[in-house]
Amino acid sequence: MATGALYAALAAGRRSFYTAPIKALVSEKFFALCAVFGADKVGMLTGDAAVNADAPIIACTAEVLANIALREGANAPIGLVVMDEFHFYGDPDRGWAWQVPLLELPRAQFLLMSATLGDVTFLREDLSRRTGRPTAWVANAQRPVPLFYSYATTPMHETIEELVETKQTPIYVVHFTQASALERAQALMSINVCTKEEKVAIAEHIGAFRFSTAFGTTLSRLVRHGIGVHHAGMLPKYRRLVEQLAQAGLLKVICGTDTLGVGINVPIRTVVFSALSKYDGTRTRLLNAREFHQIAGRAGRAGFDTAGTVVVQAPEHEVANLKQFAKVADDPKKRRKLVRRKAPEGMVPWGEATLTRLVDAAPEALTSNMRVSTAMILDVVDRPGDPFEAMRRLLTDNHEPRKRQLRLIREAVGIARSLLQAGVVERLDEPEPDGRRYRLTVDLPRDFALNQPLSTFALAAIDLLDAESDSYALDVVSVIEATLEDPRQVLAAQLNKARGEAVAAMKADGIEYDERIELLDDIAYPKPLEDLLDHAYEVYVQSNPWAADGRLSPKSVVREMWERAMTFREFVSVYGLTRSEGAVLRYLSDAFKALRSGVPAAARTDELTDIVEWLGELVRQVDSSLLDEWEQLTSPDQPAGVTPEVRAAPPRPLTANERAFTAMVRNALFRRVQLFARERWDELGELDSAAGWTAQRWAEAGEAYFTEHESVGTGADARGPALLVFDRRPDIWRVRQILDDPAGDHDWGFDAEVDLGASDESGSLVLRLVDAGRMD
């Protein structure tokens, strides 16, 4: 239907916008539309990338379209809007972006699509009133693959085993935490779900695919057994591999989270719910009808299956009770003495009646979640016409109840007053010919609504840094990191580690328990330049109030990895982030993009360029799909039409980017300098025991050094190129790291060999320590 609507609009010369809720689905749809209509007819806007932005068909996120609607209003040259996954209209945080186009684009034709809309009587009437068009409602289209529901009271592994034996595969087992999905997959290894021939086919399909992380080692073992894992915390290449194996019919069971309901392309025949309750971030509750149908609807593949199966697993305590009862069913005395297990404390129980109710229930009616912001008001002020009238119409003729509308109006008035008081907006004595009664006294950043909210602040903050400082390059990194979205899992892990180290230190100092608990409130994860950035932000917002909608958040992820010369695998291991590798990689990828495209040329020192090159290669070697897609989409010469995929072929050689590879060598050797300076012999032994340099041998070398010198420098000079000597040969690099002793004798150091071929094969630096000690 969407393709037909887009074709009709294109034929009539009308411009179309196709929105999806997440960037990954937008880019997927972009390539699919290119294949249908041609690359010259399709563009994409996601906030990260803009491709062929003047095309007659645009794929974008809902927020991008909402900002265009606010900035251009009813005069926006938009003839058709296709909004996929329209049930996001009811999302508490993002629902405004699905509502604003309906309010602000009365001349457009709308196609609102979702498998779980619920009662949309109000929306039908409202759309007809605003657009003057009759509104059709396709409510009960026959599902091409019927679904059959059942309630399983056998243990989960028996339920899965029976489904495998009765050819109900592929099976998607839905969990509501990433940890439980992985635990279930590992537990199912006891079931032989694949034949030997199928396992051979899986191995052939995997081919040279690189499982480069700790989680990858686990996933490799699982998928070769015919069992997949799929959740948002995984690396994109791992998720894509699981999807490809499933599409090829090679995976029999996939254990994942409910992200399956957001359009993830995993063809399945059977959906198994491990529970009908979930923790939603605030409380544990039963699934609502929309959530249940959204997930259950993934069962059954049109063109492959004649029916889909949905199984709901009974709670463990109910399964145990039934098993106990079966043992004493023929003995009345034992039945009377039987003690039934109760639901665990805090659990919201479900049963077969819950399943029946959800199957019969229609999705809940969508609830409006309109909001007002500084950016919204500035958008409206910056367009022709009277912004007061436009905002009044927007805030009084939306889908909110009157009480909520009044609250939005009060918020808007407060924002408008602050803009006027700050002198950012001023009232004109006489309206302009286009009807404007107010004007902005400053220029809005170009496409500011489509970029990181604080990207322009970062440019201003970089100018405040001391370019002569030894830490300048890393300070630039800290400015950029402060403007990025928080990687919650990483920051929580950093905080836990910092508190653990603080508690150990306080115990060693003899501080009492109560005082330790009180002092822990002051412990935080690393926040470089916090005071400088907070003050600069306060000043910046006064003249750039749109930045108030952003959130400045100093943090140190990239900076810490560079300063401590950590690899991706080491960082994940140190902070216990194995289940969140995907979140770590997404953050590092976003940081790389921001550093590469958001730092002006005048601020790019050689060290900063080294950091950016190192970071890009680190991300690429872990999983190149994020950067490959971004570079493909942002390249002006990009021949679109084929969706980028993770392939079995290994990524480009690690040594191909010599500058990034050199930075990795420098980091690896400097890490040894840092550990040597701190006399961390055990950690050095862990790094180099394979080369014969055990902790004991390192300790002996350290004792000899510290007999002659009091300390080892670890500052900028110690890390500089003057103390690192390269002998680059075709297959082997010989490298000497000279220690920065206080006397400046430079007579101690480390000698190492770097195997280029092995590094390319493994996708990580392969370095062997040859010697450490006096260099004479």
Side-chain angles (χ1 to χ4, degrees), residues 22 194 226 237 293 334 353 387 394 420 500 633 638 676:
I22 59 177
C194 287
K237 69 175 182 181
H293 288 296
K334 289 183 178 180
L394 186 64
L420 288 165
L633 293 175
Q638 159 61 27
F676 192 88

Side-chain angles (χ1 to χ4, degrees), residues 48 459 480 590-600 604 612 630:
D48 289 337
L459 295 176
I480 295 298
D590 288 344
F592 169 71
K593 296 172 190 175
L595 284 165
R596 200 171 85 164
S597 61
V599 177
R604 292 182 177 277
V612 174
W630 178 66

Side-chain angles (χ1 to χ4, degrees), residues 254-275:
I254 305 169
C255 298
T257 57
D258 56 336
T259 52
L260 176 71
V262 192
I264 302 302
N265 185 22
V266 180
I268 53 177
R269 179 173 294 173
T270 302
V271 168
V272 177
F273 284 83
S274 63

Side-chain angles (χ1 to χ4, degrees), residues 542-594:
Q542 292 176 13
S543 56
N544 300 272
W546 57 82
D549 293 331
R551 180 175 178 270
L552 187 71
S553 178
K555 48 191 168 289
S556 181
V557 179
V558 174
R559 181 169 185 153
E560 180 182 0
M561 291 181 72
W562 177 264
E563 287 181 320
R564 297 180 61 186
M566 301 175 79
T567 66
F568 180 86
R569 190 163 188 160
E570 287 167 343
F571 185 83
V572 166
S573 176
V574 164
Y575 287 109
L577 294 165
T578 301
R579 288 200 302 267
S580 302
E581 288 178 345
V584 178
L585 186 75
R586 277 193 297 274
Y587 176 81
L588 296 179
S589 177
D590 288 344
F592 169 71
K593 296 172 190 175

